[in-house]
Amino acid sequence: MAKQISTTYGNALFELALEEGKLDQLLEEVTEVRDIFKSNEELGKLLNHPKIPKEEKITCIENIYKSKVSDELLGIMVVMIKKDRQKGIVDVFDYYERRYMEYKNIGTAYITSAVDLRDEQKKAIEGKLLDTTRYEKLIARYEVDKAIIGGLVIRIEDRVVDSSIKTQIELLSKSLN
């Protein structure tokens, strides 16, 4: 159900932003507001409290965001509160960001190595990934995990390429048994 809510409202927000030519502006706003929601548990508790009337919740959101975000973003939050969907606001914002990245052909790669990579190594990896994927731009998130011993583990969406020495040892061990 939560996925359906985020998809429905997220698509509505995306289509509106596309129609209004505000994709980039709304992405910035969505990111900022989402970060506020995630870091401020009290705001979430207030919006989800069953004894606080919807009108007060809407007034609170309008007082906080009226002059800080676009009417489109404020409007989607108000509609969600009116329909008792405020628990899904952050999910809607996450969905909007994913949809934006997909539309702009931007991918995110999670790259794990056993040691810190030099800048030229990172550029080479990113270049190779851009050549082998459909993305025009890539956001690379690097992580060091000594447990993989050597090699790389690269994850883009639901695809994983694991060339780590740890995995190769495990596969060799299984084949020997």
Side-chain angles (χ1 to χ4, degrees):
M1 182 72 162
K3 189 172 185 173
Q4 188 177 15
I5 291 168
S6 65
T7 302
T8 302
Y9 287 98
N11 277 331
L13 185 61
F14 182 83
E15 294 301 326
L16 182 62
L18 187 60
E19 189 176 297
E20 299 284 326
K22 295 182 175 182
L23 282 174
D24 296 330
Q25 175 192 340
L26 268 173
L27 179 67
E28 284 180 34
E29 292 177 7
V30 159
T31 305
E32 288 176 29
V33 173
R34 181 186 56 204
D35 291 346
I36 290 169
F37 269 90
K38 285 183 176 180
S39 66
N40 189 343
E41 290 180 23
E42 296 301 314
L43 181 58
K45 287 179 184 176
L46 175 106
L47 290 179
N48 294 315
H49 199 285
K51 293 191 178 180
I52 298 175
K54 290 179 188 178
E55 294 77 27
E56 285 185 37
K57 294 175 184 179
I58 291 169
T59 302
C60 178
I61 287 294
E62 287 176 342
N63 288 340
I64 294 171
Y65 293 112
K66 185 89 171 155
S67 62
K68 295 178 177 79
V69 298
S70 64
D71 292 340
E72 294 85 0
L73 189 58
L74 183 60
I76 200 102
M77 289 190 287
V78 168
V79 168
M80 290 184 75
I81 293 168
K82 284 181 181 176
K83 299 206 179 248
D84 268 335
R85 304 285 193 229
Q86 63 273 8
K87 285 184 180 178
I89 288 176
V90 171
D91 293 332
V92 169
F93 294 164
D94 288 340
Y95 181 86
Y96 178 87
E97 182 180 31
R98 284 192 307 273
R99 184 88 195 271
Y100 174 90
M101 301 281 272
E102 184 181 299
Y103 180 80
K104 293 283 189 168
N105 226 2
I106 302 170
T108 303
Y110 298 89
I111 303 160
T112 305
S113 61
V115 296
D116 279 325
L117 299 173
R118 296 185 314 273
D119 288 339
E120 54 270 4
Q121 290 172 314
K122 289 178 181 180
K123 285 181 184 173
I125 291 168
E126 291 168 24
K128 189 70 167 172
L129 290 174
L130 283 172
D131 290 343
T132 57
T133 62
R134 60 181 167 81
Y135 299 114
E136 294 174 12
K137 185 177 177 190
L138 196 67
I139 297 170
R141 307 220 188 274
Y142 291 93
E143 180 183 345
V144 174
D145 181 3
K146 294 183 188 311
I148 68 168
I149 303 170
L152 296 172
V153 178
I154 301 171
R155 184 174 61 84
I156 300 175
E157 292 178 2
D158 60 350
R159 294 173 291 173
V160 177
V161 175
D162 188 344
S163 64
S164 66
I165 292 176
K166 177 184 177 185
T167 300
Q168 291 175 14
I169 290 172
E170 288 171 359
L171 292 172
L172 182 61
S173 175
K174 281 181 185 177
S175 70
L176 289 174
N177 287 336

